[in-house]
Amino acid sequence: METAIHELTAGYALDALEPTEREAYERHLAGCARCQEELASFWEVTGALAAAADGPAPSPALRERILDEARAEKQTVVPLESRRRISPVLASVTAIAAAVAIGLGIYAISLHGQLGDTKSALSAQQSAAAVLADANATTVALKSGSGRLVVAGDGSAVLVLDELPAAPSGKTYQAWVVTGRVPVSAGTFTSANGQAIVPIPRTVPSGAVVAVTVEQAGGAASPTLPPVAASDPV
Amino acid sequence: MPAPIHAVVPLPDPPDLWSMRRHLAHLSDEALVALVARGDEAALAELYDRVGRVAYGLAFRVLRDDRLAEDAVQEAFLGVWRTAAGFRAERAKASTWILTLVHRRAVDLVRREERRRADPLDEATSDLATSESAEDAAWLGFERERVQAGLRQLPHAQREAIELAYYGGFSQSELAERLGVPLGTIKSRMFAGLTRLRELLQDGAEEGSWKPQSTS
C-alpha cells in the first residue's frame, strides 16, 4: 500500500491522477517526507519538460492583461506562513490548491459534509460577532459577488454579502467551503434587506475558497454551478 | 498652461520605472516572488518576462487553443500574485512552481473542455510567431534538445506514457483505456520513466556530457 501510493508521485507530478486519487495523494503527502522529497525532484523534471514544450510565443497583450488584472485586484495579503510553519513542498501544494480553486467549477463534485447548521441561530450570530470583532482577523476579497470574507486567527470565518437579492421563491442560498477540489456544505441561509452575514460553521483553512450557490429550498448535496459569489483563496 | 495634473495624481515618472526594472533584473526568481508577495507589480512583470514565454508555450502545447492557453497562463500568474506569500524556496525553484501552476490549470481546462488533440506526439508547432530575443531562443533550443535527448533514451512505452500525460493532458486511467494496458502498468511506466529521465537530465547537467545535435 505504501509503495502503491509512493508510486503515485510520478502521476501527481505529471498532473495525471484522477481527482479522487489526487486528493488521496495530497493527504498522504502531508505526512510523508519521502514523497515530498521525491515530488520536489520530479517537479524539476516536469519543469524541464515544460521548457521543452516547443509551443508558440504569447501575444504581447497577454502580459498587459495579466498586469492590469493584478493591479485591479486589491491584493489579498494572505499570511499563510506567518501563523504556522508548514513544509515548503506542502506550501507549494497549498498554493496549487488555491490556484485550482480559482476557477470554481473545475472541481469534482464529491461531498463529505452534512447539510444544515448545527448551531442555533443565536449562537451563530454570536460567533459571527466574535469573528468580526477579532483584531487578528484577515479580510479576503471576493472574486465574484459583492462583500468580503472575514477569517479569524483560529480559522473560523464569516461571509458578509452586500447587494444580495432575496433568493427566488422555492430556492435558498447555500454556502460551500472548497478545499482543493472538494466542496463541503457550510449550510443554507437567506438574504435580509439585500444583505447576509453568514457564519461559516466549520474552519476555513489556508488556500480554501468560500462560495455561494442558489439551490432548491432545503439545500443540495452538491453545488449547482455557477456560484453567485466566491471568495479569493484564504 | 494646463493645470499641474501631476500634483493631483502623483504617477511615478517613467525613468523611475525603468531604473526599477533594471534594479530587478539581477534578482533571482525567488527574490522576485518575495517581492510579489508584498504586492510589487514590477516584480510580477519581471517574473512574467522570464517565465511567461515557456508558460504559454506549455499551455498551448496542452490546450492547442490560444485563448484557452492565455486563460491558463493568466490564471496561473494571478495565482502567483495572490499566493506568493505561501511560496518557500528551500526546495522548489520559483520558475518550477509557476510552471506547475500553469500545467495544472491547463490540464484541468483540457479535461473540462474535452478538447482532445488527435495526436499530441505530433510536432506541429514549428511556425512560431515569436518576438523573443535571440538569447531566449538559444536557451530554449538548448533546453529542448537536452530534454528531447533524454526522452529518446527512454524505453518507448515510458516515453509515450510521459508525453501523453504531460503534453496531452491524459490521466493515468484514460491512458490505460486508450492504450489497452492495465492501470498498474501505466503507473509503473510513469514512475520508472520519470525516475530515469531525472537521472539522465542530472547526468547531463553535472557532467556536461550532453552535446547538441546538429541542427537539421
Side-chain angles (χ1 to χ4, degrees):
Chain A
M1 190 61 206
E2 187 62 30
T3 310
I5 200 147
H6 177 69
E7 201 175 68
L8 287 182
T9 305
Y12 184 81
L14 291 164
D15 289 322
L17 301 187
E18 297 293 336
T20 50
E21 225 169 15
R22 188 191 276 184
E23 287 153 22
Y25 180 80
E26 284 177 352
R27 281 195 296 276
H28 166 78
L29 185 67
C32 180
R34 178 183 166 206
C35 281
Q36 289 178 18
E37 201 165 316
E38 183 106 286
L39 178 60
S41 72
F42 278 162
W43 269 343
E44 294 303 316
V45 180
T46 56
L49 286 170
D54 200 14
S59 123
L62 177 60
R63 181 184 192 274
E64 295 317 307
R65 208 155 63 236
I66 288 171
L67 295 178
D68 286 350
E69 182 86 15
R71 209 170 289 129
E73 196 175 87
K74 193 177 62 189
Q75 193 194 13
T76 313
V77 179
V78 187
L80 276 177
E81 296 306 295
S82 60
R83 291 186 208 150
R84 55 188 183 277
R85 276 296 283 173
I86 55 178
S87 79
V89 168
L90 201 55
S92 303
V93 169
T94 305
I96 289 171
V100 166
I102 285 167
L104 270 179
I106 59 176
Y107 43 72
I109 305 301
S110 63
L111 187 73
H112 302 307
Q114 67 280 32
L115 290 174
D117 281 344
T118 52
K119 296 170 178 173
S120 73
L122 181 61
S123 75
Q125 276 181 24
Q126 285 169 340
S127 62
V131 170
L132 295 174
D134 185 348
N136 294 320
T138 49
T139 300
V140 177
L142 299 191
K143 182 175 171 55
S144 64
S146 174
R148 61 209 169 278
L149 178 70
V150 183
V151 186
D154 63 1
S156 55
V158 174
L159 182 64
V160 181
L161 296 167
D162 305 319
E163 301 168 23
L164 187 70
S169 167
K171 304 271 188 175
T172 182
Y173 289 110
Q174 187 165 0
W176 306 86
V177 177
V178 187
T179 307
R181 301 161 66 90
V182 187
V184 178
S185 175
T188 60
F189 63 92
T190 57
S191 171
N193 302 321
Q195 199 190 38
I197 297 177
V198 189
I200 304 299
R202 56 180 70 248
T203 58
V204 179
S206 287
V209 164
V210 175
V212 175
T213 57
V214 176
E215 306 293 350
Q216 295 294 336
S222 60
T224 303
L225 302 174
V228 294
S231 74
D232 278 332
V234 172
Chain B
M1 187 74 184
I5 291 173
H6 66 272
V8 183
V9 186
L11 293 171
D13 293 330
D16 287 346
L17 282 177
W18 264 113
S19 63
M20 174 59 95
R21 293 301 301 279
R22 280 207 307 277
H23 173 67
L24 293 174
H26 71 272
L27 291 180
S28 69
D29 295 349
E30 290 70 27
L32 289 175
V33 172
L35 289 176
V36 168
R38 285 163 37 182
D40 189 320
E41 291 161 22
L44 185 70
E46 177 71 19
L47 265 184
Y48 178 85
D49 290 342
R50 293 185 193 182
V51 188
R53 166 73 179 83
V54 168
Y56 180 81
L58 173 64
F60 188 88
R61 176 87 187 261
V62 174
L63 287 157
R64 306 270 167 139
D65 179 288
D66 50 3
R67 237 187 63 76
L68 287 172
E70 289 190 352
D71 284 351
V73 172
Q74 176 166 349
E75 287 171 31
F77 271 89
L78 290 173
V80 169
W81 179 242
R82 294 176 187 129
T83 63
F87 175 75
R88 283 295 175 273
E90 284 95 339
R91 282 205 177 143
K93 290 193 298 188
S95 58
T96 302
W97 175 56
I98 295 170
L99 292 171
T100 305
L101 293 176
V102 170
H103 189 261
R104 173 71 63 94
R105 192 70 190 114
V107 165
D108 282 335
L109 280 175
V110 82
R111 290 193 189 150
R112 187 166 60 172
E113 297 286 322
E114 287 299 328
R115 296 178 72 89
R116 285 295 183 221
R117 311 115 309 251
D119 190 349
L121 296 183
D122 276 352
E123 301 294 335
T125 47
S126 311
D127 54 338
L128 306 185
T130 70
S131 59
E132 64 197 322
S133 70
E135 197 182 330
D136 283 349
W139 179 83
L140 277 177
F142 176 89
E143 188 66 6
R144 197 149 54 224
E145 269 308 314
R146 193 172 78 94
V147 175
Q148 291 295 343
L151 284 169
R152 277 195 296 270
Q153 291 187 57
L154 297 182
H156 173 76
Q158 292 178 11
R159 175 183 178 180
E160 176 184 61
I162 287 176
E163 293 192 341
L164 284 172
Y166 194 73
Y167 296 130
F170 290 94
S171 72
Q172 292 183 330
S173 359
E174 285 172 327
L175 282 182
E177 194 177 335
R178 187 183 161 99
L179 300 175
V181 296
L183 180 57
T185 305
I186 294 292
K187 290 179 178 176
S188 299
R189 283 177 187 172
M190 279 188 194
F191 191 81
L194 218 49
T195 303
R196 179 74 184 122
L197 188 57
R198 178 177 62 194
E199 290 167 9
L200 290 166
L201 294 179
Q202 279 169 354
D203 286 353
E206 281 162 18
E207 298 164 16
S209 61
W210 178 87
K211 296 283 186 294
Q213 311 274 316
S214 64
T215 51
S216 56

